[in-house]
Amino acid sequence: MLNSFSLTMINQPNTVSYPAQFTKQDDGTYRISFRDVPEAVTHCDDINDAVVAASYVLRIAFEHYREYVKQIPAPSPVQPGEVLVSIKRP
């Protein structure tokens, strides 16, 4: 079950955690999105790949923010149905 997993980087120094929604699609794939970072969206066939892809797409979105001089949004508190995804602090 997705809600029972945790990423080892959560609460580690120099990391930040953002809430993500992992939604299983009708075709069996997973859609991953971040409400704080709407540009960070990805799809994966496998839940294990989805966890890796979530952190990757979040890092790529932050690189985009930096390139275009946008302020990186602060993470919101996690809501029911969301999972925290951690990355190194941008």
Side-chain angles (χ1 to χ4, degrees), residues 36-40 58-73:
D36 296 320
V37 187
E39 297 86 353
L58 190 57
R59 285 192 313 268
I60 295 300
F62 288 154
E63 288 177 15
H64 173 80
Y65 276 37
R66 273 191 238 112
E67 183 176 338
Y68 293 98
V69 193
K70 291 184 180 179
Q71 183 175 356
I72 293 174

Side-chain angles (χ1 to χ4, degrees), residues 33-48:
S33 60
F34 296 83
R35 66 187 152 79
D36 296 320
V37 187
E39 297 86 353
V41 178
T42 191
H43 292 82
C44 287
D45 293 331
D46 177 87
I47 191 62
N48 294 320

